[in-house]
Every structure is written in structure tokens, then in C-alpha cells.
Amino acid sequence: MTQAEAKVIRLRPELDDWGRDDTAVQVANALALLRWSVSLGGAGHLPAGRPALVVTSSRLFAQTVPMVAWALQRQCGRTVRFVGRPDVAPLGQFVQRLGGLRADAVEVAGALSHGEIVVVGTQTVRQTRRAGAVPEDMVAAAMKFGAPVLPAAAVSSPLSRSARVELGA
């Protein structure tokens, strides 16, 4: 590679098979540090180098699923994808660049078949002491590939930076 080639600015981002852009993720990580200060427990339950489906509690307007994915990615250093990409342009493409997947069992199964960690939320509820229904089709996709399904509890406050994620066995 010549020196001139090394100085060429990348005009097209390099995307993986699901449209994730590492540069966009790095920028989002820096912004997430401004929003959340997450303590994470139970990260040792994640299988090393193997796929896993993490099912987390989810509250209205709390952005729990991306927060849990971000915290897991920071802790374990692996690519972590999250379910919740909308099909509306341009927001859908933006979320896809950050690692978002559609709420589609086929798309989740594809990510799991490639050894990815995927975070999905329960059905959103208003109550802070209850979790909503678990997406059975996503759990079935994980079971198809022999990927463990790990529960996660996430607690955060809209008025505070501090949050806690506890991953179960």
C-alpha cells in the first residue's frame, strides 16, 4: 500500500453481514459513556466464543435493550447485537449500523448461527417490579442452535446516569 492510498479517507463505511459499522459503534460507545454509568454483574455466565441469547427486562422509553448490549460489549469485548431495529428510514439504517437487528426470529437465528451474542427485551411494561412476556420465537431460535438463553435484569433511572445489569445463569 502506498502512502497516498493510506491517506485516502474512507467514504463508504465497512459493514458486516448485518450492516453493523464499527466506527459508528465506537462513536455511540463514547456517547453512551456520557449517558450511562453501568455496573454489570454475572458476565461470567456468558459462554466464551459461543453464541448466546440474553433476554432482559424492558421498560417504556428506557432504552434498556441497547444499554444492556452496550454494557455486555464493554465487559466482554465481543460484538453484541440487540433486537429492536425499526423498519422506518432513516432511523432503521442508523440503528442497524449500531448493531440493531429486526424483531425477526430468522434474523436473530442468523446472528446466533455466526456465534454472536444477541440481546432481546421482554414485552415492555410500565411497572418497574414486573417483566413482560418473553419473545418465544427468539428463544426457540436460540434453542435451535444450542445457544444458552440467559436472563438479565436491568434497572436504570431517567434522572440518573447510574444503571445496573445483572446477568443470570
Side-chain angles (χ1 to χ4, degrees), residues 84-96 100-104 107:
R85 177 173 63 91
D87 275 338
V88 179
L91 184 60
Q93 289 82 359
F94 175 73
V95 174
Q96 184 176 17
L101 301 172
R102 287 182 295 119
D104 176 43
E107 193 162 329

Side-chain angles (χ1 to χ4, degrees), residues 10 16 26 47 63 72 75-76 95 115 122 126-127 139 142-143 152:
R10 184 173 59 134
D16 68 9
Q26 289 173 3
Q63 298 301 318
L72 289 174
Q75 180 74 26
C76 69
V95 174
T122 60
R126 292 182 185 180
Q127 301 156 331
V139 173
M143 292 174 69

Side-chain angles (χ1 to χ4, degrees), residues 3-167:
Q3 206 171 23
E5 289 173 333
K7 290 183 180 180
V8 172
I9 297 174
R10 184 173 59 134
L11 297 177
R12 297 193 79 188
E14 294 188 27
L15 307 176
D16 68 9
D17 292 341
W18 290 275
R20 183 177 183 272
D21 177 10
D22 280 334
T23 304
V25 170
Q26 289 173 3
V27 170
N29 284 343
L31 294 174
L33 279 171
L34 297 174
R35 168 59 182 106
W36 293 301
S37 174
V38 181
S39 62
L40 177 67
H45 296 300
L46 286 172
R50 291 189 38 228
L53 180 70
V54 176
V55 180
T56 185
S57 56
S58 185
R59 287 192 4 244
L60 281 174
F61 309 116
Q63 298 301 318
T64 308
V65 176
M67 185 224 6
V68 170
W70 173 75
L72 289 174
Q73 183 171 297
R74 287 197 67 211
Q75 180 74 26
C76 69
R78 290 177 56 191
T79 299
V80 179
R81 301 191 186 280
F82 60 94
V83 174
R85 177 173 63 91
D87 275 338
V88 179
L91 184 60
Q93 289 82 359
F94 175 73
V95 174
Q96 184 176 17
R97 298 261 169 118
L98 300 178
L101 301 172
R102 287 182 295 119
D104 176 43
V106 173
E107 193 162 329
V108 170
L112 291 169
S113 72
H114 283 85
E116 303 284 341
I117 297 172
V118 178
V119 178
V120 63
T122 60
Q123 184 179 17
T124 56
V125 292
R126 292 182 185 180
Q127 301 156 331
T128 58
R129 297 183 185 265
R130 293 191 162 267
V134 174
E136 295 175 8
D137 55 343
M138 307 293 173
V139 173
M143 292 174 69
K144 178 180 177 182
F145 292 102
V149 178
L150 306 173
V155 180
S156 65
S157 168
L159 304 176
S160 169
R161 287 188 64 238
S162 59
R164 174 78 180 159
V165 175
E166 190 66 40
L167 203 61

